[in-house]
Amino acid sequence: MKLCILDNDFLDPAVAPTYVGYGAMFERLLRQAGADGTFDIFNTVKGEYPASFDPYDAVLLTGSKADSFSQEPWVLTLKDKVQALLKSRKKLVGVCFGHQLIALCLGAKVGRAPQGWGAGRMRYQWLAPELAPGREEVALLASHQDQVFALPSGTRLLATSDFCPVAAFGVDGQVFCVQAHPEFVEDYSAFLLNKRRTMFGEERYQAFTQSLAKGHEGLAVARMMVAFVNA
């Protein structure tokens, strides 16, 4: 596997020494899921991109604190790159911000979710049994206030919930996108929750935090990603 990871954020300095960045978090997770080969990480906020995407089997877009529909120059540059990648039929994996940006490039509407923040451990109905035989549900760690409002034309719904109807979608052989964060670990989620404790209010903060003790299935989703890239 030769994977290009477009890291779309910087971590808080308090946790950067531990987790490095979202690109590094994904590399660790995907290797745990059985991936081997080369992982090249580029930070799009700094304007970093490979000279060519041609050598890569797939491109993975990480999450970000930025909005996918932002008019920030670096987001617009990334959007242009993604549109070109879609046109060339390069395999794309998108997570959170990446999931939303790919949906946006496919013509879907993305924006602030009227139901507010999704955070902590969240459960989704899994709709693609051929990707995970016997699986009817997946639990993942989430952190988002934006959502994809409608399934992009020409794509398939892979996961859904009442809170996040378009929780994952795909295009056979080309796109695999998920709103929640398979790369997160409980301690990192707890750090993010604590940063927003006042905003959430104590009752919601406690509920989100307590949900982390139930664990999540990020590794199972990572195995699906590895299979997608290797197919």
Side-chain angles (χ1 to χ4, degrees), residues 62-229:
T62 75
S64 176
K65 67 176 68 71
D67 298 323
S68 61
F69 47 88
S70 165
Q71 297 300 299
E72 291 185 63
W74 74 266
V75 176
L76 296 177
T77 297
L78 177 59
K79 186 178 178 183
D80 287 343
K81 300 281 189 185
V82 171
Q83 288 172 329
L85 289 166
L86 285 166
K87 188 174 181 180
S88 69
R89 298 195 61 79
K90 178 65 70 176
K91 285 186 178 181
L92 296 177
V93 178
V95 173
C96 198
F97 167 91
H99 157 94
Q100 295 164 13
L101 186 66
I102 292 170
L104 200 62
C105 289
L106 290 169
K109 185 179 179 183
V110 179
R112 287 280 188 272
Q115 56 271 52
W117 275 86
R121 178 187 188 267
M122 304 197 80
R123 295 163 56 191
Y124 309 94
Q125 181 185 0
W126 186 253
L127 305 174
E130 76 281 1
L131 299 180
R135 179 173 294 281
E136 297 180 353
E137 184 179 276
V138 63
L140 292 170
L141 303 181
S143 182
H144 64 98
Q145 60 177 335
D146 298 338
Q147 286 194 27
V148 177
F149 291 144
L151 189 66
S153 177
T155 70
R156 176 189 176 193
L157 189 63
L158 302 179
T160 187
S161 72
D162 290 342
F163 181 85
C164 185
V166 184
F169 69 90
V171 177
D172 287 348
Q174 189 185 4
V175 173
F176 186 104
C177 288
V178 59
Q179 174 60 66
H181 288 272
E183 82 281 14
F184 276 16
V185 294
E186 288 84 353
D187 284 352
Y188 183 71
S189 284
F191 171 80
L192 293 181
L193 290 171
N194 191 58
K195 282 185 68 174
R196 301 182 177 117
R197 184 170 186 165
T198 301
M199 181 191 70
F200 289 142
E202 195 61 20
E203 184 177 350
R204 293 179 71 212
Y205 167 77
Q206 291 294 341
F208 289 150
T209 301
Q210 289 167 17
S211 74
L212 301 180
K214 299 177 181 178
H216 67 102
E217 296 165 301
L219 185 59
V221 174
R223 291 191 178 112
M224 297 182 211
M225 292 177 171
V226 172
F228 166 77
V229 174

